[in-house]
Amino acid sequence: MKKSRLISCLLLVAMLFTLTACTGNSSQPSNVGSASGSGENAAASEKRDDLICGIQKLPSTLDTVKTADIMPPQFQIFDGLVRDYNGEIVSALAESWTFADDAKSITFKLRPDIKFHNGDPITAEDVVFSINRAAVSPFVTIMTSAIDKAEKVDEQTVLVNFKYPYGPGLKCFTTTALYIMNKKAIEADEDGYGKSPIGSGPYVLKEWIPGEKIVMEAFSGYYAGEPAIKKITYIQIPDPSTLLIALEKGEIDIIDSNTPEEARQSLIDNKKLQYAECDSNAFLNIMFNNTKGPFADKRVREAVSYAIDRQELIDGAKNGMASPLEAPLLMSCPEYPTDFKANPYDLEKAKTLLAGAGYPDGFTVKMKTIDSPTYTKPTEIIQAQLKKIGINIEIEIMERGKYMDDVTNKSDFDITFWAIVAKVPDADFCQYSFFHSENLKGKGNYMGINNPELDKLLSEGRACLDLEKRKEIYAKACEIIKEETMLVPLFMAKRTLAANTNLTGLELRPDNLRRYIYADWK
């Protein structure tokens, strides 16, 4: 049995720049006003203990298994058995865990004397209930589909069984999908729980005005001690420009959404603010329908791979705020093949491949995309780049719901620009759902990929606990994906942090979800 036991890092002061590849300004602290709008007239001698967060959209529910949209407020109200912190998995409600050698189960040992916000003890029954409830939720399938069932061993111990050997299993428990809920409260009123949850985390919900604000206060009974920030208010401000103005005026203390790329330099230059960025948990690609249309021919897909200038795309569509990507994995994944190289930019080779596929004069094809600059701007640059080899792209701009139904559910597309999002930095989450033939027909493999050799590798990778072996497996998987040009990986976008310079202990995370248990004012 392989055993892990890590002491919770909650009592450590989190540094702002905790992730590699992060950048930020080095401005000296200044006295930015409180969220009441008092600006620079706020008394410098009074240390604040509240926090005002500007966010573009508030959640529709706080019940994390009733939605696929995970947002920062849920991070404050609930807690899980373990937590990801600074790139490592650390203890939370569980004080220790044991991963079986065959990777088919994990045994969690709960902390003693942990409580819900209403004073109820957090029991093994609550944990078993929460895990089994999540395992059957259609909203969090990607995180829980490997779970068979959880069962109580004793009052402090829970055994989680997987349906098959599952190496990334522990990482699933760092996500909101497997946060611990109050069994009694949900059984009494499941529909109402998402609006008035009894949580297990460091903050208690106090007020919620839909579409306007969420207010929460520090939980005095939190096992790791009451947080320094005593009150958090999330204010919904849908427009990114308005959010920026509110931050600059001191009306809010932090933006809990990504900031616009065009505002980057002004944020860096603003001495009243701190700014940082890191690679996100999503990588962007050109995706093909591998089964029908012109891109069913490998040579056509390969021609596209040689016709793309990644840096030009990043500069034009992202104002330089992205990292070129060679392999179809997050670069933060420990399995990422660091010496892997994508096909280089080579227009002549692209034209030769296209002619060999029977398209010496090119062809015209539709490219569906979402009505958002995040997708339309890169799509327009891809359109211009592919025109150089004779592929004439007709862009079809669609509402998000229609796009998702056409592309990811029905595979009704030829070529598109889209992201692969990994809830945790693990190769299994980047590849299995999208490339394994088990997930054809609306289950995630909407590109129509069916490669037995790749299937075998992806199945081996998810069952393996040995990191070095996993690196070998996924390096081979990346080579097959490249050889067949199943997609063209392009870049990893950035996540940003923009906040009052007097705040400390702010997490900068690839998923842009940050906890405020570490935060404080200077």
Side-chain angles (χ1 to χ4, degrees):
M1 305 286 275
K2 297 182 179 179
K3 189 165 185 177
S4 299
R5 180 182 176 95
L6 293 167
I7 303 302
S8 172
C9 292
L10 288 175
L11 300 180
L12 298 178
V13 178
M15 300 303 292
L16 172 62
F17 306 121
T18 58
L19 299 177
T20 58
C22 300
T23 63
N25 67 32
S26 56
S27 58
Q28 295 299 311
S30 62
N31 295 317
V32 179
S34 72
S36 62
S38 57
E40 295 182 12
N41 295 322
S45 60
E46 295 181 9
K47 180 180 177 180
R48 288 176 54 190
D49 62 2
D50 68 311
L51 184 66
I52 312 297
C53 307
I55 190 169
Q56 284 185 264
K57 181 183 178 183
L58 291 171
S60 58
T61 177
L62 293 171
D63 188 342
T64 60
V65 303
K66 292 290 188 178
T67 178
D69 294 327
I70 303 305
M71 297 184 183
Q74 296 157 331
F75 252 49
Q76 323 307 331
I77 294 171
F78 296 104
D79 217 339
L81 295 172
V82 293
R83 174 183 302 133
D84 60 314
Y85 176 77
N86 224 8
E88 295 197 29
I89 296 177
V90 302
S91 60
L93 298 178
E95 64 179 6
S96 65
W97 55 91
T98 304
F99 212 135
D101 288 340
D102 63 3
K104 293 188 71 173
S105 67
I106 304 176
T107 302
F108 291 98
K109 195 76 169 179
L110 302 182
R111 292 177 181 274
D113 303 322
I114 45 178
K115 296 178 181 181
F116 285 109
H117 295 162
N118 65 349
D120 288 349
I122 299 175
T123 66
E125 286 88 352
D126 291 303
V127 174
V128 168
F129 172 82
S130 299
I131 294 170
N132 289 338
R133 180 171 178 255
V136 296
S137 168
F139 295 101
V140 295
T141 301
I142 195 168
M143 303 309 307
T144 63
S145 61
I147 295 174
D148 180 20
K149 65 177 181 178
E151 53 190 284
K152 175 183 172 181
V153 176
D154 58 39
E155 295 302 322
Q156 296 297 121
T157 311
V158 171
L159 173 67
V160 180
N161 295 293
F162 297 111
K163 297 172 184 175
Y164 37 77
Y166 194 53
L170 185 63
K171 293 180 181 179
C172 295
F173 288 88
T174 67
T175 69
T176 57
L178 289 159
Y179 276 177
I180 305 307
M181 310 284 179
N182 188 298
K183 178 177 183 285
K184 184 168 62 176
I186 291 174
E187 289 180 337
D189 183 11
E190 183 168 15
D191 291 338
Y193 192 79
K195 297 296 183 183
S196 301
I198 297 173
S200 51
Y203 289 93
V204 182
L205 179 67
K206 288 298 180 181
E207 183 183 11
W208 184 0
I209 302 176
E212 185 177 328
K213 67 178 180 178
I214 287 177
V215 181
M216 54 188 72
E217 295 178 358
F219 177 38
S220 60
Y222 191 54
Y223 70 86
E226 188 174 335
I229 298 295
K230 305 304 180 187
K231 179 181 178 181
I232 299 175
T233 302
Y234 286 95
I235 298 176
Q236 180 169 301
I237 305 175
D239 180 63
S241 297
T242 307
L243 262 177
L244 281 171
I245 293 169
L247 180 66
E248 290 167 351
K249 287 184 174 180
E251 295 170 350
I252 61 174
D253 303 313
I254 186 169
I255 294 178
D256 240 335
S257 307
N258 238 35
T259 55
E261 286 129 8
E262 57 270 20
R264 181 182 190 234
Q265 194 57 50
S266 65
L267 287 167
I268 291 172
D269 293 341
N270 192 325
K271 301 305 180 183
K272 298 177 183 178
L273 303 176
Q274 53 182 301
Y275 175 82
E277 59 191 38
C278 68
D279 288 331
S280 77
N281 64 333
F283 60 98
L284 287 299
N285 316 270
I286 293 175
M287 293 177 158
F288 307 106
N289 190 321
N290 282 240
T291 61
K292 63 181 180 180
F295 300 104
D297 190 322
K298 169 190 166 181
R299 293 169 295 181
V300 179
R301 301 194 300 267
E302 193 174 4
V304 171
S305 74
Y306 282 103
I308 297 298
D309 183 334
R310 286 173 175 78
Q311 195 58 55
E312 180 184 71
L313 178 60
I314 290 169
D315 291 342
K318 305 298 291 182
N319 287 333
M321 279 184 63
S323 301
L325 186 65
E326 305 281 349
L329 282 177
L330 292 177
M331 287 188 281
S332 56
C333 288
E335 304 87 359
Y336 187 85
T338 54
D339 57 349
F340 190 92
K341 294 295 180 185
N343 289 334
Y345 181 59
D346 188 335
L347 286 180
E348 292 309 311
K349 187 160 188 174
K351 291 175 182 177
T352 300
L353 283 163
L354 208 56
Y359 298 104
D361 299 318
F363 58 89
T364 298
V365 66
K366 284 188 176 181
M367 189 168 182
K368 295 180 177 181
T369 191
I370 288 178
D371 186 13
S372 162
T374 300
Y375 298 98
T376 55
K377 287 171 67 176
T379 298
E380 289 167 358
I381 293 173
I382 291 168
Q383 176 189 47
Q385 291 187 352
L386 294 186
K387 189 174 183 179
K388 295 177 182 178
I389 63 170
I391 298 179
N392 298 304
I393 297 290
E394 293 179 350
I395 297 174
E396 183 178 354
I397 298 175
M398 310 175 74
E399 179 269 330
R400 184 184 181 91
K402 173 63 173 171
Y403 174 91
M404 297 296 288
D405 188 45
D406 276 11
V407 176
T408 65
N409 292 336
K410 298 177 180 175
S411 297
D412 181 15
F413 75 105
D414 290 307
I415 181 173
T416 193
F417 169 79
W418 192 236
I420 289 179
V421 180
K423 300 293 186 181
V424 296
D426 186 277
D428 181 73
F429 291 96
C430 296
Q431 294 188 349
Y432 194 91
S433 293
F434 304 96
F435 296 95
H436 199 289
S437 63
E438 176 186 285
N439 298 307
L440 289 166
K441 299 181 179 179
K443 296 181 182 178
N445 182 355
Y446 49 86
M447 291 179 284
I449 294 162
N450 191 346
N451 185 297
E453 185 181 359
L454 182 59
D455 283 353
K456 183 174 182 293
L457 287 168
L458 297 181
S459 295
E460 289 176 356
R462 67 168 20 192
C464 182
L465 287 173
D466 186 290
L467 179 57
E468 293 308 312
K469 289 182 181 177
R470 295 189 94 217
K471 287 181 178 180
E472 293 176 10
I473 290 168
Y474 287 106
K476 292 177 183 177
C478 290
E479 286 293 348
I480 292 173
I481 293 168
K482 174 186 173 181
E483 176 63 27
E484 296 298 320
T485 320
M486 295 170 177
L487 54 60
V488 180
L490 299 173
F491 59 80
M492 289 179 61
K494 299 291 184 182
R495 297 297 193 194
T496 62
L497 168 65
N500 186 311
T501 194
N502 288 321
L503 278 167
T504 64
L506 299 177
E507 284 189 298
L508 176 60
R509 296 168 51 95
D511 57 12
N512 224 23
L513 300 170
R514 56 183 60 91
R515 307 176 191 89
Y516 293 116
I517 49 175
Y518 311 112
D520 200 357
W521 288 93
K522 293 178 182 177

